[in-house]
Amino acid sequence: MTVSAITLRLSDQSRLRASEWRALIYTAIENGINSFQIDGASAPLLQGAAEAFASVERRLLFLTWRVREEAGQFTAAVVETMMTSAFDDLGLDYLDLVLLNDPLGPDLPAAAGDVLRTLHQGRAIRGLGVASRGDVDPALTRSGLVTALSSPFNLSSGWAERNRVRAAVSQNLAVIGEDFWPQALRELGSKPLFQKPSLWRRRSDPLADVGGYDFLTGTQGWSAEEICLGYALTEPSLATVQITADTQAEVERLAAVVERDLPNGVCAQIEMARFSAQERERAASQR
Ligand code: C2E
Ligand code: C2E
């Protein structure tokens, strides 16, 4: 099936009422989003989501359930509660993907592995994915059971992260890109990473101001968040980019980025900023 370029994460942190959740999800669907990640279990979230999902043919939606238990606490009982919520509260008869924390080993968490396999064989769970910020054990992905990886990917991703994402694609894993607007870039406005040269200082080095991230705040018609999302959307290795949004206006604004092309000048500036960051990384490691 086709999974939309953007996946909307539905989290308890948003504290919306059921009717607000419903409206948020309708807005997402109307704006071309068919992929949702349920990362919470509050009654209003499940009720609002159930109502919204019921209005669309199930096969047109891609629904992921995020399990946040640590491997040691991820038991058969946790899986049972998850499936009860999915079946009874959300009114679903299957989940497209169950996403768990990286078990940090060659197999699924022992206590939940068998029941997950059974549900997978019975097609109640169509796929399993792992969320990680490190290297996933290759035996786990070779087993054929894990078909997706959720990893940070953004403008400031270094080589390790980029290579990890590309290697996952070459292993036929679908990659969900997270954290498209990382904290470090979000704080740029308030706490600049790179000081602009003072007007009084001579710019003897022609490259002195090249490679900064000024374009994030100085590009007309684009906010820093939109540029970062636009960048993640251009990465061919990502099957979908995960966003979190609390309001309908935010969903509309972010969904609109899918239809927009980043200005050419910005693409060049991103590459320069990345090149400079990489050079600084190299210089620092040699010091
Ligand atoms: P944790 O929640 O027990 O997660 C353990 C490891 O599972 C993480 O190690 C990471 O490799 C993976 N993981 C968990 N959640 C995610 C996720 O949403 N996306 C991805 N891609 N991987 C995930 P890591 O990165 O070293 O984090 C260590 C601990 O730091 C986490 O333990 C958590 O307690 C905290 N932490 C890290 N990032 C966040 C965050 O954004 N929010 C919160 N609330 N805690 C965080
Ligand atoms: P949150 O905890 O409210 O974090 C929101 C955003 O702040 C994250 O977006 C990330 O950009 C930044 N952030 C928070 N903690 C850390 C950190 O320890 N290190 C870094 N580098 N950045 C951090 P993101 O990654 O899209 O995560 C969205 C939400 O997913 C988080 O909201 C949290 O609820 C959940 N989450 C993500 N990673 C983890 C994790 O490792 N463990 C747990 N328990 N939850 C996580």
Side-chain angles (χ1 to χ4, degrees), residues 9 13 37 39 66-71 99-104 130-134 149-152 176 178-179 242:
R9 172 175 165 267
Q13 278 167 0
Q37 184 176 130
D39 189 359
R66 179 69 166 97
V67 181
R68 288 224 170 254
E69 267 76 9
E70 285 169 29
L99 189 60
L100 31 130
N101 282 357
D102 185 356
L104 298 177
V130 291
S132 181
R133 297 191 183 89
L149 169 72
S150 194
S151 166
I176 303 158
E178 299 170 2
D179 205 16
Q242 180 191 291

Side-chain angles (χ1 to χ4, degrees), residues 40-103:
S42 72
L45 192 168
L46 297 178
Q47 188 192 328
E51 289 168 9
F53 295 156
S55 69
V56 184
E57 234 183 292
R58 175 66 185 91
R59 65 182 178 86
L60 299 179
L61 294 170
F62 189 88
L63 302 180
T64 300
W65 191 285
R66 179 69 166 97
V67 181
R68 288 224 170 254
E69 267 76 9
E70 285 169 29
Q73 272 138 33
F74 188 25
T75 59
V78 170
V79 179
E80 204 173 298
T81 308
M82 168 181 85
M83 294 316 288
T84 305
S85 272
F87 293 150
D88 297 351
D89 300 333
L90 282 183
L92 306 176
D93 47 17
Y94 67 93
L95 288 169
D96 293 281
L97 187 70
V98 170
L99 189 60
L100 31 130
N101 282 357
D102 185 356

